[in-house]
Every structure is written in C-alpha cells, then in structure tokens.
Amino acid sequence: MKKNILIYGAGNIAIRHVQSIIYEDSISKIYIFDKKQSALKKMSNFFNEDRNSSKLIFCNKQKIIKENKFFLAFLCTYAFNRIRLIKKIKSLCDIKYFIVEKILESNILNFEKIEFDTKNVFVNMPIRNISPFRIIKSNLNSKKINAKLTGANWNMICNSLHYINYISYAIDSSVKNISIKKLEKPYKLVRKNFIDFNGKITVHYKNGSKLHIVSKKNTKKHYFNLKQEKKIFNYDFKNEKLHIGKKYFFCKREYVSELSNKFFKSLSKNGKVKLPTFDEALRENFLFIKEFLKNIKKKSHILKIT
C-alpha cells in the first residue's frame, strides 16, 4: 500500500524534505499544511513544473488533514511551543512516525507539559548520519574525549544542539551539564524577530568528556576537532577535508534533502531511523535552554531562536 506523508510548515526546510521524497514510488500523496497562504503559494510555485507535482496537496485548513492516516510526518515550524504542537497534531490525525526539527522547544515552561505518547517521535539532529562524523564515530571507543567546534557567525545557539547530541551518541555518554562561558550582543537572523549569538559554550559529559563550542564574529576558520587518547581528528568545513592524524582526505557532507530520503526508506524497511528519539533529545534541550536563559540580559521564558 502506498503511503501518505504530512509536512507541517511550508518554509525552506519543508521544501528540502519534499525534494527528497517526491520521487519515491511508494508515496501516494504529500500533504503540506501551513496557516499562511503566502508560504503555501511560494512552495507551490517552487514545485510547479515538477513532473510529480500532482502528489502535492497544499492546505491551510486543518480539516483537510484531520483524521487522515500518515506514515510519516515532518514538523517544520519554529521551535516556539513545538511540544504543544506535537501533541495537537498527534490528536488531530493518525501518524505512525514523526520527525521534528530542533531546537525541540524554546519555551521552557512547556517541558513540563509532555502529555502524549513519545514513541516513534524522532528529532532531526542528523550529524551522526553525515560522512565525516560517521567516520570519526567509527574510530572511537567509549573512553572520554575532548572536542572543539569553532566558527564565525554560524548561528551557535540554533545549531549547538546538533553537536552536543552527536558527542553523546559517539561516546555513549549522556550530558552532565552545559555551561555558557560567554555571550556577545545578539545579531538578527534572516527570519524576522529572531536572533542568535556569538560566544563560548562548554559541555561536560558523564564519562568525563568535554565539548567546547566557540562562535566568533571575525574568523575565517570553521572546524571540528576531536581528541581521544592518541587519536586526533579534525574536520575543516570550508574545504571539506577530514584529517585523521597526519593523513587527510576530502570528505563531503550530505545535503539535508539526501538524508530525509534515507530516513523515509529506513522507516519503511524496518521501522528504525538513525536519529535521536524525542526522549533522548529532551534532556539535552532542556539543559541548554535553561542555561541560556540564565545568561541573557532580557529575561524571559521564551527564546526567540529557530
């Protein structure tokens, strides 16, 4: 039987998900829901000349998706109130598997309101699937590591959780605590009213490992470095070189659109996907948001990040 897919939210991330799966023969229809007609129109125009555009159903009324059965749903909205939205969507229609974007939630009050079944809900933090990081993981054991991520204006607050979760996965050790050492003045993102920061973050893991995250305003370097015993790994994001000890080779990162397709196929085949579960990601997300809110000048329970 062919499968129906739900894409909740019609922004750029949603477009990439659709690009990834639209040519799958096992998919019947892809429903794209967004309250904003302008977002749906933009997405419709993007796929207007696609030979498989007949698979797409654009809707801004929840009654169109209500009580429908979906094999897989992608939640592509802003992080604000995402936990409450997951509950709402799950009560609205029948979803077998759910992939939600990070940051899992930016409203810290909602972490106490998880009143739904989290089984088969996964968080789209896919670093563990990307080639250079898969190679690094395959060369590690569970002993402690020391890692550092450095870049310039790379949306540190929005993207740090990807790497915090990856280290936890790579060494099989959960986060002990997260400490924000420095925050500079916020800078505006392309999305209206959203911000991010440069600064320094240190993450401690229960096996003694550390991850240092640095975002600077003016630097040309963007790299990930990891040391474990005598092993040293360094990945340069700009020239896509992976150094292992004194040797190096080119190692290209996969696009999000490629990974979405892999997730769909994996779930179709065996009901599994190489992503953190909702429960695995929840504690990291809570510790991160809690620490961050302690360090910003304008106090709030809501974090205006994506």
Side-chain angles (χ1 to χ4, degrees), residues 119-167:
K119 183 181 178 182
N120 293 335
V121 180
F122 303 93
V123 182
N124 195 14
M125 294 194 285
I127 297 291
R128 62 185 69 181
N129 297 274
I130 296 174
S131 291
F133 297 95
R134 281 193 291 108
I135 293 170
I136 292 172
K137 155 68 175 166
S138 69
N139 285 278
L140 298 178
N141 53 47
S142 59
K143 293 182 180 179
K144 69 178 183 179
I145 59 94
N146 199 313
K148 185 176 183 180
L149 175 66
T150 298
N153 300 323
W154 58 275
N155 297 357
M156 179 182 73
I157 302 302
C158 178
N159 290 313
S160 287
L161 276 168
H162 280 298
Y163 299 92
I164 293 171
N165 178 263
Y166 168 73
I167 295 296

Side-chain angles (χ1 to χ4, degrees), residues 21-107:
I21 60 176
I22 194 170
Y23 299 112
E24 287 298 318
D25 292 334
S26 61
I27 291 178
S28 174
K29 296 294 181 182
I30 302 172
Y31 290 73
I32 298 104
F33 174 86
D34 200 298
K35 289 182 177 180
K36 293 183 179 179
Q37 192 64 45
S38 58
L40 292 172
K41 186 176 180 180
K42 179 181 177 181
M43 194 168 180
S44 177
N45 290 339
F46 186 91
F47 290 101
N48 188 44
E49 296 182 9
D50 194 290
R51 70 176 187 270
N52 278 4
S53 60
S54 60
K55 284 186 176 183
L56 305 180
I57 298 176
F58 297 94
C59 50
N60 66 347
K61 305 290 185 185
Q62 289 186 343
K63 64 181 181 181
I64 298 175
I65 61 172
K66 188 177 181 180
E67 298 180 2
N68 265 331
K69 287 188 176 182
F70 296 101
F71 173 76
L72 173 63
F74 290 95
L75 179 55
C76 311
T77 60
Y78 296 144
F80 174 61
N81 281 344
R82 192 171 274 158
I83 286 176
R84 288 169 58 185
L85 187 55
I86 295 170
K87 179 184 176 181
K88 181 179 179 180
I89 297 170
K90 284 175 71 70
S91 65
L92 191 67
C93 42
D94 185 347
I95 297 170
K96 189 170 184 179
Y97 300 106
F98 215 141
I99 295 178
V100 305
E101 293 300 319
K102 61 82 204 149
I103 289 174
L104 187 57
E105 175 62 74
S106 62
N107 183 346

Side-chain angles (χ1 to χ4, degrees), residues 240-269:
E240 298 190 311
K241 287 181 181 179
L242 176 60
H243 295 251
I244 302 178
K246 295 182 180 180
K247 298 180 180 180
Y248 74 88
F249 54 94
F250 290 100
C251 192
K252 193 172 182 180
R253 288 166 287 147
E254 290 82 354
Y255 291 109
V256 172
S257 57
E258 296 176 272
L259 295 175
S260 301
N261 186 276
K262 289 180 180 179
F263 300 154
F264 168 75
K265 287 181 176 177
S266 179
L267 288 168
S268 299
K269 184 177 180 180

